[in-house]
Amino acid sequence: MYKSILILLLVLGIHTLEAQSRWTTAAEEKAITDLMAQMTLAEKVGQMTLFTSDWDQTGPTLREGYREDIKTGKVGAIFNAHTADYNRELQRISVEETRLGIPLIFGYDVVHGYRTIFPIPLGEAASWNVVSAQENARIAAREAASAGLHWTFAPMVDVARDARWGRVMEGAGEDVYLGQVMARARVKGFQGDDLADPFTVVACAKHFAAYGAAQAGRDYHTVDISERSLREIYLPPFKTALDAGVGTFMTSFNEVDGVPASGNHHLLTDILRNEWGFEGFVVTDYTSINEMIPHGIVANEAEAGELAANAGVDMDMQGAIYYNNLVDQVANDLVSLERVDEAVREILRIKYALGLFDDPYRYNDLERQRDNIFTADHIAAARAAARESLVLLKNDQQTLPLAKTIKKLAVIGPLAISQEDMLGAWHADGRGANCVSVLSGIQEALGKGAAVTYLPGVPVVGDDATGIPAAVAAAKLADAVIVVAGENWTMSGEAASRTDINLPGRQAELIRQLHATGTPVIVVLLNGRPLALTDIVDYADAILEAWYPGTAGGQAIADIVFGDYAPAGKLPITFPRSVGQIPIYYNMKNTGRPLDFANKYTSKYLDESNDPLFPFGFGLTYTTFSFGTPEATVEQSRDSVTISVSIDVTNTGKRAGREVVQLYIRDLVGSVTRPVRELKAFQLVDLAAGERQTVQFSLTAEDLSFLRRDMSWGMEPGAFDIFIGNDSRATQRVSVVIE
Ligand code: BGC
């Protein structure tokens, strides 16, 4: 008895001495405590400092100052430096030349691949395939980790409903649920089961929070949303990333309710730490502590650092605010030592979890780097992922697929020969020279049997239309024309907002003139945002949305164009008719005056329809599917609800194909108004021609829950409509009542 009490006391003793962590063992916690006891305040602040290296195209150089900072323990993390040997040298300085030998953590934006580039995240989300999204992230992690990296600034989980915002390309689009499942897949892919596995990297859920709600789609602009939209729309993918075990969070540039995210105690401490119980560390976005001065919430850098530290920011990216001010702020009792210790402990825990204290060079092996980057397997996975990301928006008279026996094909548009534009923004170490262009992909698929003529037509941007007559002449002689149109890759991504989302330059005019030849016109689009295609939709026989498809994009496009693979992608974001409809998204509210053409005083435009050109969830394939009548049963007990829904789906066409069967709900009456549709589940169903399958879904109370009038999260009894189909306009309906 006495003995067991003693053991209990000892155990409790350890617990009170060392904080608990999901990242570390009790022994590691003790090692952290011992290490921190030896650290000066300046060294602690060093752990809270992240600097970029000066890596450029000709090779990396680290500014002398940074080398000195590493040596003196003033920086604990470096980003934008990569390759096993380069980072080994920096790590060597940190481990062998600093007083305490604490290893550095190396971060980089490995967003959709390191060297093998996968489709941009918006394109990957168009596959609705969480299994491949996870696998793609796993490969990206494998390559990054082999190149000396420990940490990726991804996934970007910002819900984005404004096509003008250039960063819509980086996330999973407009929907909360699709955003959540993609967030989970990507975090699990990057981090694997265990960060100690040297082929994984720690992920970073960014940008916390509501960055996607920038007013008018202008990057870095003000965000002004209600606590309700914040919690119902913008935060859930972050919470899912956290539940999937994400190790770090990045703050956003924007303000939320008047307080910039990097100084926002409500977001970083009340919600992230206290409500959600986040364990891991919070890094800022690039110089976003400094930017609180122009935001107008602090007068100088010292105040900015104080606000950030007290709000809950653990690491300062590139701003040198902690570096220059935090020691004084602690000495002056403006930031507590406990706060600094908390941040340092979180950072050291992640370094422990990565195994860096066991072997700081475990990510710096040249042989591993050689064997694991841009391998045949990875390239094949990138090709498969690209195929799955393509969305067939239009296909009149089954223009696609083209027969490989085609004799004469005209390929038009400078994007057709661009390798660089296959990559899209945030392509890490991806190289244009490694990419297969659309033209090369087509030529490879057709071999020598067909005459393929290429002409630029018009440039992507600018007013030069002099190439149109030659393109038209080539089209007249061809059996089909493929026009590769869209945006250059630099036209989306960070700091790449646009007020005009039509096809830039004279591309629409080119397409219209090609159409006038009578030769079938297939438009292949490369772009990172929804485009307004109203000007060309009637002048194309087929439209294939290819996003920026990555390394093997040209082959993937050819796989679809010539029917080796049937398209299966579905839009993860609404395509408006015109920029004037923005913001436009499927899960809008009904309003008190829903559209009624017979009544002038209802919610509509004088000059434009309310409907988008292509709705969320939409995408065609080479076969057709029919949906039976859905059936639902409700099982309800005192504390649980299960709704089982089933529907028959039949492939009614002549080819095998994949359908993304989508389930939406509508809560008809709530204590606050509810959206007209909310995606709650989907399934990918592969069916042979003529095959039928009963697809089953199961919903729980959580799927019916929302932020009620009193701000509590939960379900309300009442009637729900359930819609199932192949896009957000699904018409097959079944209704249930929850008591
Ligand atoms: C971007 C982040 C990125 C960081 C580091 C910032 O400008 O907003 O998404 O992770 O730079 O490259």
Side-chain angles (χ1 to χ4, degrees), residues 293-353:
I293 301 170
H295 266 295
I297 194 151
V298 287
N300 53 46
E301 295 195 344
E303 282 179 27
E306 178 189 331
L307 185 62
N310 289 332
V313 167
D314 302 313
M315 190 184 278
D316 172 7
M317 184 195 286
Q318 191 55 18
I321 295 279
Y322 283 180
Y323 176 94
N324 286 322
N325 302 281
L326 205 51
V327 169
D328 286 350
Q329 299 296 79
V330 174
N332 295 331
D333 279 341
L334 294 168
V335 175
S336 69
L337 187 58
E338 291 70 45
R339 176 74 265 281
V340 168
D341 281 348
E342 201 175 77
V344 173
R345 184 177 285 277
E346 299 291 2
I347 293 162
L348 293 177
R349 280 174 173 164
I350 297 289
K351 291 185 175 183
Y352 259 101

Side-chain angles (χ1 to χ4, degrees), residues 79 109 153 167 206-207 250 253 285-286 317 426 494:
F79 70 115
D109 292 282
F153 303 138
R167 301 198 80 165
K206 71 186 189 184
H207 308 83
M250 185 188 293
F253 289 122
D285 205 343
Y286 208 106
M317 184 195 286
W426 297 113
E494 186 174 352

Side-chain angles (χ1 to χ4, degrees), residues 104-124:
L104 294 165
I105 181 172
F106 289 92
Y108 196 31
D109 292 282
V110 179
V111 174
H112 53 114
Y114 172 74
R115 177 83 56 74
T116 307
I117 300 301
F118 291 88
I120 56 168
L122 188 65
E124 185 183 70

Side-chain angles (χ1 to χ4, degrees), residues 198-463:
F199 284 108
T200 61
V201 292
V202 60
C204 182
K206 71 186 189 184
H207 308 83
F208 195 62
Y211 186 33
Q215 284 179 0
R218 173 150 65 80
D219 208 1
Y220 319 122
H221 202 2
T222 309
V223 166
D224 189 6
I225 52 174
S226 65
E227 182 82 5
R228 190 176 300 287
S229 314
L230 179 71
R231 287 177 179 271
E232 272 191 9
I233 311 291
Y234 294 95
L235 293 189
F238 286 97
K239 176 63 166 53
T240 304
L242 185 150
D243 292 340
V246 76
T248 70
F249 264 63
M250 185 188 293
T251 62
S252 55
F253 289 122
N254 55 280
E255 66 173 65
V256 174
D257 196 20
V259 183
S262 297
N264 198 311
H265 189 274
H266 180 55
L267 283 178
L268 304 181
T269 298
D270 298 345
I271 296 179
L272 185 60
R273 295 275 179 205
N274 298 344
E275 244 180 71
W276 294 358
F278 174 58
E279 293 184 63
F281 69 83
V282 174
V283 63
T284 66
D285 205 343
Y286 208 106
T287 61
S288 68
I289 303 184
N290 317 53
E291 292 163 23
M292 293 201 286
I293 301 170
H295 266 295
I297 194 151
V298 287
N300 53 46
E301 295 195 344
E303 282 179 27
E306 178 189 331
L307 185 62
N310 289 332
V313 167
D314 302 313
M315 190 184 278
D316 172 7
M317 184 195 286
Q318 191 55 18
I321 295 279
Y322 283 180
Y323 176 94
N324 286 322
N325 302 281
L326 205 51
V327 169
D328 286 350
Q329 299 296 79
V330 174
N332 295 331
D333 279 341
L334 294 168
V335 175
S336 69
L337 187 58
E338 291 70 45
R339 176 74 265 281
V340 168
D341 281 348
E342 201 175 77
V344 173
R345 184 177 285 277
E346 299 291 2
I347 293 162
L348 293 177
R349 280 174 173 164
I350 297 289
K351 291 185 175 183
Y352 259 101
L354 287 162
L356 296 175
F357 280 94
D358 285 342
D359 175 6
Y361 304 114
R362 61 206 300 266
Y363 293 71
N364 303 91
D365 177 337
L366 282 175
E367 225 169 276
R368 208 172 79 111
Q369 174 170 277
R370 191 196 57 214
D371 295 345
N372 288 288
I373 292 181
F374 209 62
T375 63
D377 282 2
H378 294 182
I379 298 167
R383 180 169 174 170
R387 281 197 301 243
E388 289 197 309
S389 73
L390 268 47
V391 184
L392 183 62
L393 296 175
K394 181 176 178 186
N395 195 22
D396 277 2
Q397 264 93 52
Q398 300 185 328
T399 305
L400 288 178
L402 293 177
K404 279 194 189 154
T405 49
I406 190 165
K407 287 276 165 293
K408 284 172 290 170
L409 183 65
V411 178
I412 312 288
L415 286 172
I417 56 164
S418 169
Q419 292 173 286
E420 193 78 14
D421 284 291
M422 303 312 275
L423 295 168
W426 297 113
H427 52 249
D429 196 35
R431 296 158 188 197
N434 285 342
C435 292
V436 180
S437 70
V438 181
L439 182 64
S440 301
I442 288 170
Q443 283 167 331
E444 187 184 308
L446 287 180
K448 295 210 163 59
V452 180
T453 313
Y454 164 74
L455 283 168
V458 299
V460 175
V461 183
D463 219 23

